[in-house]
Amino acid sequence: MENKTMITEPARSLPVRLKVDVLVVGGGPSGIIAAQAAAEDGLSVTLIDSRSFVGGNMTIGLPILGFLGQKGNQIIKGIPQKFIDKLKEKNAASEHRPCPLHMSLTLVEPEAVKTVGLQMLADAGVNVLLYVFFAGVIMEGNHLKGVIIESKSGREVILAKTIIDCTGDADVAFRSGVVCEQGNEQGGVQPPTLMFCLGGVDTEKLRLSISEEPRTYLTDFIPNEYFGQNNQFIVVGLRSLIQKAQNDGLSLPTERTIVITGLREGEVWVNMTRVNGVDGTDPASLSFGEMEGRRQITDIQRYLIEYVPGFENAYFTKMAPFIGIRETRRIVGKYVMTAQDVLGCARFDDAIAVASYPLDLHHPQGGGCTLEWCGDCYDIPYRSLIPEKIENLIVAGRCISTTHEAMSAIRVMAPCMAMGEAAGRAAKMAIRKNILPSQVNVAALQAELREKGAYLNAKN
């Protein structure tokens, strides 16, 4: 193990920038929704993010997966649906399109997500503080009282009655002393992807080639006739073309072609870079991931242009603003969701969201992927958002309390948005009743979620 030289940082007094009711750390899919829910009846709510925009993985060219269940019914509603409705007003989101592989796709325009996200937060009365890094915690015993932030103004403190960790990496929970896990039994995590966008793609030629020549253009799980019926779609497969290109000398990091049509004509987002071994909690590893992802794009773009119909005149237009991380830390909470909970369509008395996305494990090594479906939908329990021992903290998003396998199912954006709404409403209830988040009456929380339009299974 590498020996590090240690420097003692002198103790110093830090100015308190803000005192708020609810602090949301992280402005991704769960954070945007959590902040709006918490601020709904007038509490002082601040959301912080280190980037110059909000939206997280909604801004990197990915479709939002999981609004619909495996039976075609809509299972994510409430504030997440209002967010999509606002995007639709600007022609920046599609309908929720059923997909045999991913349950559903909702295409969104990344730049519009940033603008609409900030506008909805402002309309809700949320104070947004960008360009600040979460740098530490203020603890009194096992109670989280606030966080330390770092910016061009230096180190400062934000004190809050309740804090919601929407970092995706359990940053606040980890620094607070919450026990966290990362990866599988060997520590291997799902590899990240650096998305990029091509213009000039003849998407009609692409979909009709797949629809009309199924033996040549074979897709994974998605019937070829699906492409004959949908003008906006995702392609997953074409493995024989990948193999041919690799035999011809191209270096391709994945076994499958994965491309998603954009909302603009001729635009396609490419989900094909894979950088194994990246630790999303380590800056050196993330830096390697960014550089390696960019290196891989050259051969991927050449593959698409030379081997895949419709890409003959394609050209590079833009890169995602950051590499897309699938997995880092997961908290150990009051309940740990398992793969069996997902595959067994588990129902929980304290359910605060419903999901239907399959177990979707991108292998830590190689370019393969394993998928397993439950046939319907499953609950996400409130206990999985509440850490063991540490109080005043709620966690929402992919870093809730699950196993490595279960995380691969609940990590997609629509369920994360639903968790955000539950977390925000729970934080508000805790403050209004002067109790801890761990003491919130879940039946009352469920009643409010339903009243505000969220979907829960009939049992709850």
Side-chain angles (χ1 to χ4, degrees), residues 190-364:
Q190 298 187 74
T193 289
L194 182 60
M195 299 284 292
F196 67 99
C197 185
L198 299 177
V201 180
D202 186 344
T203 56
E204 283 296 287
K205 181 177 180 180
L206 173 60
R207 77 178 185 90
L208 292 175
S209 296
I210 295 172
S211 174
E212 296 170 2
E213 302 178 61
R215 292 186 179 181
T216 302
Y217 305 112
L218 182 63
T219 57
D220 290 7
F221 303 104
I222 304 176
N224 291 71
E225 53 266 25
Y226 173 86
F227 297 94
Q229 303 164 359
N230 292 276
N231 294 314
Q232 294 174 324
F233 51 86
I234 184 170
V235 176
V236 180
L238 311 186
R239 293 172 183 259
S240 62
L241 299 187
I242 291 270
Q243 188 62 57
K244 185 176 188 304
Q246 289 173 330
N247 292 342
D248 291 343
L250 290 186
S251 177
L252 302 174
T254 180
E255 301 171 351
R256 309 177 298 166
T257 306
I258 307 179
V259 295
I260 307 114
T261 57
L263 288 172
R264 298 172 181 170
E265 185 177 354
E267 182 179 83
V268 166
W269 285 91
V270 183
N271 181 351
M272 291 179 63
T273 64
R274 294 290 183 277
V275 189
N276 292 329
V278 170
D279 179 352
T281 67
D282 177 69
S285 189
L286 281 168
S287 299
F288 166 75
E290 289 279 350
M291 291 185 283
E292 174 61 17
R294 289 174 182 269
R295 186 195 66 77
Q296 292 176 4
I297 286 172
T298 299
D299 273 10
I300 293 171
Q301 183 173 343
R302 182 181 164 193
Y303 156 71
L304 291 169
I305 291 172
E306 295 182 6
Y307 292 83
V308 181
F311 284 85
E312 293 84 356
N313 299 310
Y315 53 89
F316 182 90
T317 60
K318 53 194 167 186
M319 188 91 67
F322 56 88
I323 195 167
I325 300 296
R326 289 186 173 88
E327 177 181 14
T328 54
R329 304 184 191 102
R330 312 179 308 275
I331 69 164
V332 176
K334 303 287 187 183
Y335 181 81
V336 180
M337 281 190 71
T338 67
Q340 187 52 49
D341 290 333
V342 173
L343 296 178
C345 299
R347 300 285 182 264
F348 296 102
D349 289 338
D350 63 335
I352 45 76
V354 176
S356 188
Y357 195 72
L359 298 179
D360 180 8
L361 279 165
H362 294 253
H363 300 162

Side-chain angles (χ1 to χ4, degrees), residues 6 46 82 105 112 142 148 163 181 243 266 285 315 336 355 368 371 383 454:
M6 304 299 289
T46 288
K82 291 179 181 178
L105 307 172
N142 67 339
I148 300 169
I163 295 172
E181 297 177 342
Q243 188 62 57
S285 189
Y315 53 89
V336 180
L371 292 108
R383 287 167 295 159

Side-chain angles (χ1 to χ4, degrees), residues 1-7 282-283:
M1 185 176 178
E2 179 184 357
N3 290 320
K4 292 184 178 181
T5 300
M6 304 299 289
I7 300 294
D282 177 69

Side-chain angles (χ1 to χ4, degrees), residues 118-130:
L118 286 172
Q119 187 59 59
M120 290 187 75
L121 289 165
D123 291 346
V126 176
N127 175 49
V128 177
L129 195 60
L130 303 174

Side-chain angles (χ1 to χ4, degrees), residues 29 67 108 140 165 168 185 188 210 216 259 286 340 368 399 426 430 441:
F67 267 95
V108 295
E140 287 185 8
D165 185 341
E185 292 179 356
I210 295 172
T216 302
V259 295
L286 281 168
Q340 187 52 49
C399 54
N441 183 314

